[in-house]
């Protein structure tokens, strides 16, 4: 299934008529398929008391023991920023671009 999805994404990602904003959406979709989550979070509807976990198993175990009916588990991916014009990739948490404020 992932191979078919990646093929579909690549078709639009590398097509010359795809607009830049659409390409960004396809890049994000592709990253979600080819990378593993860095962490997992149990989200609460109130937004308070969300819990972070290093594995999906830990998050699901917490949800089973202490979760409410409207809580859910979501993957968290590391964030990178790409300056397409300069060809630079920098990790936002470690090296923000010099012209931007945190």
């Amino acid at each position: 299934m992932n191979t078919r999805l990646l093929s579909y994404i690549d078709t639009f990602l590398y097509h010359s008529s795809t607009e830049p904003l659409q390409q960004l959406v396809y890049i994000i979709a592709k990253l979600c398929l080819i990378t593993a989550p860095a962490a997992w979070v149990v989200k609460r509807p109130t937004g308070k008391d969300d819990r972070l976990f290093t594995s999906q198993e830990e998050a699901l175990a917490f949800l089973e023991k202490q979760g409410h009916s409207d809580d859910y588990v979501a993957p968290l991916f590391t964030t990178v920023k790409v300056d397409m014009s300069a060809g630079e990739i920098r990790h936002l948490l470690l090296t923000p671009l010099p012209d931007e404020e945190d």
Side-chain angles (χ1 to χ4, degrees):
M1 182 65 165
N2 277 357
T3 306
R4 290 175 58 196
L5 284 172
L6 286 172
S7 175
Y8 176 82
I9 290 169
D10 285 342
T11 299
F12 289 98
L13 181 61
Y14 300 115
H15 196 274
S16 62
S17 67
T18 305
E19 296 179 16
L21 189 57
Q22 289 176 321
Q23 283 182 324
L24 180 61
V25 171
Y26 288 118
I27 288 170
I28 293 168
K30 186 171 183 174
L31 284 174
C32 289
L33 290 173
I34 64 174
T35 61
W40 295 84
V41 63
V42 173
K43 298 288 288 177
R44 304 262 166 110
T46 62
K48 296 182 181 180
D49 301 324
D50 291 346
R51 300 283 305 257
L52 292 174
F53 298 92
T54 55
S55 72
Q56 183 181 20
E57 292 79 23
E58 291 174 345
L60 291 173
F62 174 81
L63 190 63
E64 186 176 311
K65 291 178 185 175
Q66 300 180 24
H68 300 97
S69 62
D70 47 0
D71 294 348
Y72 62 95
V73 175
L76 297 176
F77 296 93
T78 55
T79 305
V80 295
K81 182 164 190 168
V82 179
D83 183 353
M84 299 298 266
S85 62
E88 297 178 9
I89 299 176
R90 298 185 183 202
H91 193 280
L92 286 177
L93 298 176
L94 299 177
T95 54
L97 293 175
D99 59 347
E100 295 186 354
E101 305 260 336
D102 285 337

